Amino acid sequence: MKRSTFTCTVYNIFVILFLLLSATSIAKDFIEEEGDLDIKRSDFPDGFLFGASTSSYQIEGAYLEDGKGLSNWDVFSHIEGSIENGENGDIASDHYHRYMEDIEILHSLGVNAYRFSISWSRVLPRKFGGVNQAGVLFYNQIIDNLLLRGIEPFVTIHHSDYPQELEDRYGGWLSTLMQDDFVHFAETCFKSFGDRVKYWSSINEPNLFGILGFEIGICPPARCSPPFGNCPHGNSDIEPLIAVHNMLLAHAKAANLDHMKFKRKQGGMIGIILHAIMYKPLTEDKSDQEAADRALAFNIAWILDPVVFGDYPPEMRRYHGSELPRFSPDERVLLRDSIDFIGLNHYASLYAKDCINSRCICNDSSCIQGSDRAIRGFVCTTTEQDGVPIGEPTGMSLSFVVPRGMEEIVNYTKKRHHNKPMFVTENGYSSPYKSFEDYQHDVKRINYHKSYLAFLAQAMRDGADVRGYFIWSLMDDFEWINGYSLRYGLYHVDPRTLNRIPKLSANWYRDFLRNSNSLNKNYI
């Protein structure tokens, strides 16, 4: 062999090896960032719950039918300018009239669980009135027909909507009176449905409710104060703490009632659900790492520390001082270990920047007003680092695709809260596009769920006690102040006919639950 030929051959071999190693590295990086897109149902244990989630106001409609009373969202959504495009939930996805069709859809998907909520104002439309039997019948029919098809009802008692009368009478969750009214509602649910419901969630996202309703005031009861907003009434530094305090005690009293009066005969579990954002330090500075830890404590541990340990996080007590309400000794006993499981609604990961020990600047721009206040833990949050987004954007402004965030938030909860049983009660993707074709051929939604499931499976292999995963949502619905502009559903709901049209993601989920890869080539 000539030297030139030999040299050329060696060079070619070197190039090929380099390319192979580079490809392996690129593939490894892709898997680390996006997750294993070949994730299968068999990667999860037998008995693991796979389902879809909805909530009453977002899908039911029929807002004044069959004895239902006005809810806070019925009233708020009719206030001019409160909802995008002037929309409301009067009809929503018309689930009230189409629930049998929707149950058949669930059955066709092959899910073994369905998470939904009970409308407080449909079951107890008046504070001093009796139980609305038409409302009870509606939910009994849902529960019975789910069970007939082998689908476990996973029921949220309170998911944002409650009778407007309670707001008008005494200010809703700002009053201690709301605790007893909630316990009465919960007891009505236990009595009416508890013989068949084995999974109860007391309250959905009290932490987010406190922020949206009482800090920035963009959701009912729309209370806030400068610099967070310019609402007619409110105190953004104090009222979120009071509202959440009452919700935590309401949860604890309802859970205690369930454990003392119903659990022995009915069995089952009761938990609480929180809005679970993962926070990462913006820089490698120690102060930003501490800011990320503080952000987690002020959002996740704000809810979970009381219901696991019996009191608020020490981080919050340190910075809020006397502004943070105190639990009595009896209340701490009532709160401690008042949950059988933790529900995580995970959509976002954000960067965190310290606003105590450094100038409150995020990415060369001033922090959002209020980040230098205790109510925000003296933390500025941002979606960019040096101009680079934390992940691919979605239709929701603060939700970017960061699959590793699923593993990280589960591991944080596992470590801080004694690895209590967990369910991912919501995880979903809203397309940033507006065309019907993009909603229909939703490949990005499929890859989103595959990658998040892959990182969830990794957290479980590392010991996290996770027992279920629910896609948000079964169908396109009323997405609160965004109206119908955000679409998370596995099924598109035609706004003219309200017909349910399966998206590609519905076909993928069905195939995934059958543990089949035969159709994977169609999901690209």
Side-chain angles (χ1 to χ4, degrees):
M1 182 181 292
K2 294 181 179 179
R3 178 178 296 272
S4 59
T5 304
F6 175 78
T7 303
C8 183
T9 301
V10 170
Y11 175 78
N12 287 339
I13 291 172
F14 173 79
V15 170
I16 291 170
L17 287 173
F18 176 79
L19 290 174
L20 286 172
L21 289 171
S22 297
T24 301
S25 176
I26 291 169
K28 182 176 182 292
D29 290 343
F30 178 80
I31 289 171
E32 287 180 350
E33 290 302 315
E34 300 297 332
D36 180 4
L37 296 186
D38 290 328
I39 189 76
K40 299 182 292 296
R41 169 65 182 85
S42 57
D43 293 323
F44 295 85
D46 293 340
F48 191 86
L49 296 185
F50 275 106
S53 281
T54 63
S55 85
S56 55
Y57 186 76
Q58 293 181 265
I59 65 168
E60 283 181 8
Y63 83 115
L64 285 180
E65 287 191 37
D66 295 336
K68 179 184 172 296
L70 282 174
S71 75
N72 57 331
W73 272 96
D74 291 325
V75 173
F76 180 77
S77 66
H78 285 85
I79 298 173
E80 185 177 357
S82 61
I83 309 295
E84 189 171 334
N85 300 321
E87 295 167 334
N88 57 58
D90 293 2
I91 298 174
S93 306
D94 199 32
H95 176 69
Y96 189 78
H97 300 110
R98 298 170 181 249
Y99 68 91
M100 283 301 298
E101 176 186 353
D102 294 334
I103 291 172
E104 289 299 335
I105 287 173
L106 286 162
H107 183 55
S108 73
L109 286 173
V111 300
N112 58 3
Y114 171 50
R115 177 174 170 251
F116 63 97
S117 71
I118 295 175
S119 168
W120 191 336
S121 54
R122 195 178 296 282
V123 172
L124 292 175
R126 298 285 180 272
K127 176 175 172 61
F128 296 111
V131 175
N132 178 25
Q133 292 302 325
V136 171
L137 175 62
F138 170 64
Y139 294 110
N140 270 329
Q141 290 172 328
I142 290 176
I143 291 167
D144 289 343
N145 279 285
L146 287 171
L147 291 171
L148 279 173
R149 290 156 180 81
I151 301 171
E152 283 286 348
F154 198 110
V155 180
T156 304
I157 297 171
H158 174 39
H159 193 130
S160 300
D161 56 320
Y162 56 86
Q164 177 65 27
E165 181 185 359
L166 305 183
E167 190 68 39
D168 295 338
R169 280 183 177 273
Y170 52 68
W173 285 112
L174 287 178
S175 171
T176 57
L177 297 175
M178 192 70 159
Q179 298 177 29
D180 292 336
D181 274 322
F182 175 77
V183 172
H184 174 51
F185 174 43
E187 183 173 19
T188 302
C189 292
F190 297 148
K191 287 179 178 178
S192 301
F193 316 119
D195 58 327
R196 288 150 295 152
V197 173
K198 303 309 175 188
Y199 299 94
W200 291 104
S201 305
S202 58
I203 300 175
N204 183 77
E205 299 182 334
N207 52 344
L208 187 62
F209 177 81
I211 293 168
L212 299 183
F214 296 92
E215 183 186 308
I216 60 178
I218 61 174
C219 290
R223 298 177 65 90
C224 66
S225 60
F228 302 95
N230 293 297
C231 306
H233 307 283
N235 184 329
S236 296
D237 292 302
I238 302 296
E239 289 187 354
L241 304 175
I242 296 171
V244 169
H245 190 78
N246 284 320
M247 296 179 94
L248 287 169
L249 288 172
H251 153 80
K253 291 178 180 180
N256 182 65
L257 175 70
D258 180 45
H259 290 148
M260 298 297 293
K261 188 173 180 179
F262 297 99
K263 190 178 182 69
R264 180 176 298 177
K265 183 177 180 180
Q266 297 180 350
M269 307 172 74
I270 187 166
I272 198 166
I273 294 173
L274 62 148
H275 188 65
I277 296 175
M278 184 61 208
Y279 295 93
K280 305 167 181 285
L282 181 62
T283 71
E284 295 181 358
D285 290 349
K286 181 181 178 181
S287 61
D288 284 356
Q289 179 61 64
E290 291 173 348
D293 293 341
R294 200 162 58 247
L296 287 164
F298 272 65
N299 288 273
I300 307 299
W302 182 18
I303 306 303
L304 293 185
D305 272 25
V307 298
V308 175
F309 306 123
D311 205 354
Y312 289 116
E315 298 95 326
M316 293 187 73
R317 187 68 69 191
R318 175 182 177 186
Y319 291 105
H320 279 299
S322 61
E323 292 178 349
L324 188 63
R326 293 192 175 274
F327 299 113
S328 70
D330 288 343
E331 288 171 342
R332 288 197 293 272
V333 171
L334 197 65
L335 279 159
R336 189 178 302 123
D337 285 325
S338 61
I339 54 170
D340 300 313
F341 69 85
I342 294 165
L344 300 176
N345 291 352
H346 177 64
Y347 293 91
S349 296
L350 299 173
Y351 291 119
K353 173 68 177 175
D354 176 61
C355 289
I356 298 176
N357 301 308
S358 60
R359 290 186 61 200
C360 197
I361 301 294
C362 279
N363 289 324
D364 298 323
S365 61
S366 297
C367 283
I368 298 171
Q369 285 186 316
S371 296
D372 56 350
R373 308 282 274 267
I375 196 65
R376 294 214 173 147
F378 299 101
V379 176
C380 169
T381 59
T382 177
T383 60
E384 293 186 355
Q385 184 184 63
D386 299 324
V388 179
I390 195 169
E392 182 182 345
T394 71
M396 177 61 81
S397 60
L398 293 180
S399 293
F400 289 69
V401 181
V402 189
R404 185 175 292 280
M406 174 67 80
E407 179 184 9
E408 291 169 336
I409 196 66
V410 167
N411 284 338
Y412 170 82
T413 307
K414 175 187 74 173
K415 182 177 180 180
R416 180 154 185 155
H417 298 104
H418 296 171
N419 202 15
K420 283 275 189 181
M422 286 177 269
F423 294 87
V424 177
T425 38
E426 291 180 24
N427 178 233
Y429 177 89
S430 177
S431 170
Y433 307 108
K434 298 298 181 183
S435 71
F436 180 81
E437 288 75 19
D438 286 318
Y439 289 131
Q440 197 75 6
H441 194 76
D442 55 343
V443 175
K444 288 188 175 182
R445 178 173 288 106
I446 294 170
N447 288 337
Y448 176 96
H449 286 294
K450 284 183 175 182
S451 58
Y452 275 75
L453 280 167
F455 279 103
L456 179 63
Q458 181 59 52
M460 293 172 65
R461 285 191 291 271
D462 291 338
D465 187 4
V466 183
R467 302 186 182 186
Y469 177 88
F470 293 81
I471 286 179
W472 184 272
S473 61
L474 176 62
M475 70 192 87
D476 294 338
D477 59 14
F478 178 81
E479 284 294 335
W480 307 119
I481 62 170
N482 297 108
Y484 300 96
S485 65
L486 296 180
R487 303 185 183 185
Y488 285 90
L490 296 171
Y491 283 76
H492 173 68
V493 177
D494 188 313
R496 297 164 299 175
T497 65
L498 299 176
N499 289 339
R500 281 78 163 122
I501 304 168
K503 303 177 187 179
L504 193 63
S505 57
N507 297 326
W508 163 77
Y509 199 33
R510 182 183 299 110
D511 191 49
F512 169 81
L513 293 174
R514 291 173 179 169
N515 208 42
S516 168
N517 288 320
S518 61
L519 299 180
N520 276 353
K521 61 183 180 181
N522 295 327
Y523 303 138
I524 57 176

